[in-house]
Amino acid sequence: MIKFFRKIRQKLLSEGKTGKYFKYAIGEIILVVIGILIALSINNWNENRKLKKAKTEYYIQLVEELNLDIKESEPHLKRIEQSISGYDTYLTTFETPNMPLDAIYLNIKKVDPIFAPTRFNTKTIEVLKSTGDIKLMPKTIRNLLIRLENQHNLYVEENDTNYGLYLNTTIDAYLINAFSLQNMLVNQEQLSNALNIKTNFADQIAKLHMSLSLKNFAERNEIESLKNILSLTHKLKNIIEEELLINE
């Protein structure tokens, strides 16, 4: 093709048709420019198509992770509410004057002792940040992702601290089950008196009461934090699903 154009130019010059030569040369330049512009347009189209595909894949992964968080967090939220309710019930019975130690212990043992904050699926957010692909996201989604990540981090930090405090106060209370030990020594009065089981039993109840009180305080804070996270998770999920529909 290039040789063909060169021959035409050479023929025009050899025939002394300078005016036509320049017109032809200008036309040739225009054709080259048009060709470059077309090539750039095709390249840009391919790049945009790749970016759109990558963004769609990120959207799908984010929705999957957000759905998992909702699926795991909502039952956890209900469990916390039940745990708080159980503790409130225990406090109501605890207000009864002069309750026997055995009765207090039986009531306090009904309180759920498990304190296990939930965790979140953050792999896609981490990949978006580490690769710099978070810039592919619209500003609204990008800001919500950053807000959600900050709330995740705050939730984990607060609950890890509270769990450590709860664990430290719980260890002593559960190392020796004085109530069971007392029953085992029912026929060993001298040994029971020597061990001063009643004092140990009261001490255990006091420690257990303190640890469950701390757990209740932590759960009341956790429930508010988790509700905020779930609200933001639902909002982000809905916006991303709308974007997926637009990009179909």
Side-chain angles (χ1 to χ4, degrees):
M1 184 64 70
I2 295 175
K3 289 182 178 180
F4 175 75
F5 287 135
R6 186 183 297 123
K7 287 181 180 179
I8 294 176
R9 291 198 304 272
Q10 289 174 349
K11 182 179 180 182
L12 291 172
L13 284 174
S14 63
E15 293 176 355
K17 298 177 180 179
T18 307
K20 287 186 177 182
Y21 172 81
F22 283 116
K23 289 179 181 179
Y24 177 80
I26 292 171
E28 188 176 329
I29 291 171
I30 292 172
L31 286 175
V32 171
V33 170
I34 291 173
I36 292 173
L37 291 175
I38 292 173
L40 288 173
S41 296
I42 294 172
N43 184 64
N44 288 337
W45 180 83
N46 283 329
E47 287 300 316
N48 290 333
R49 183 175 59 82
K50 290 178 182 178
L51 292 176
K52 183 179 178 181
K53 181 181 178 182
K55 187 163 64 173
T56 299
E57 289 175 353
Y58 279 129
Y59 281 159
I60 293 171
Q61 292 169 7
L62 283 169
V63 168
E64 288 177 354
E65 290 184 357
L66 293 172
N67 278 329
L68 279 175
D69 285 345
I70 292 169
K71 183 179 179 181
E72 294 167 4
S73 296
E74 287 184 342
H76 182 69
L77 188 62
K78 291 180 180 178
R79 192 198 65 76
I80 298 173
E81 291 172 341
Q82 291 171 353
S83 177
I84 291 173
S85 177
Y87 180 80
D88 290 342
T89 300
Y90 157 69
L91 284 185
T92 300
T93 60
F94 188 72
E95 292 174 357
T96 303
N98 300 318
M99 285 186 68
L101 290 180
D102 293 1
I104 296 174
Y105 188 80
L106 287 174
N107 280 305
I108 203 171
K109 289 294 285 183
K110 294 177 183 178
V111 180
D112 182 8
I114 298 174
F115 180 56
T118 189
R119 287 292 186 264
F120 305 100
N121 299 279
T122 60
K123 183 178 179 180
T124 303
I125 296 178
E126 291 168 2
V127 170
L128 283 169
K129 289 182 63 180
S130 64
T131 60
D133 284 347
I134 195 168
K135 65 180 181 294
L136 298 177
M137 303 291 110
K139 186 176 180 180
T140 302
I141 292 178
R142 186 166 65 245
N143 290 341
L144 286 174
L145 284 170
I146 294 171
R147 278 182 57 195
L148 184 60
E149 183 187 39
N150 290 337
Q151 288 197 18
H152 284 168
N153 292 338
L154 183 61
Y155 171 91
V156 171
E157 182 181 349
E158 288 180 346
N159 282 285
D160 282 351
T161 300
N162 289 334
Y163 178 72
L165 293 172
Y166 172 65
L167 189 62
N168 288 334
T169 59
T170 303
I171 288 174
D172 288 341
Y174 284 100
L175 280 177
I176 301 175
N177 189 328
F179 182 58
S180 298
L181 184 59
Q182 184 185 27
N183 290 336
M184 290 171 61
L185 298 176
V186 66
N187 295 321
Q188 301 296 333
E189 184 177 353
Q190 289 185 2
L191 180 57
S192 178
N193 291 335
L195 292 173
N196 197 12
I197 294 297
K198 286 291 183 182
T199 302
N200 291 339
F201 190 28
D203 181 61
Q204 185 191 36
I205 290 175
K207 289 178 179 179
L208 193 54
H209 179 91
M210 182 176 68
S211 65
L212 291 175
S213 176
L214 177 61
K215 171 177 172 285
N216 180 260
F217 173 79
E219 284 182 333
R220 290 183 185 276
N221 288 333
E222 181 188 1
I223 205 169
E224 291 303 316
S225 179
L226 193 55
K227 283 180 179 178
N228 291 333
I229 288 174
L230 275 170
S231 175
L232 187 56
T233 301
H234 278 290
K235 181 178 180 180
L236 180 58
K237 173 178 171 288
N238 291 337
I239 292 175
I240 292 176
E241 286 177 339
E242 288 176 3
E243 284 289 316
L244 280 171
L245 290 174
I246 292 172
N247 291 332
E248 283 184 352

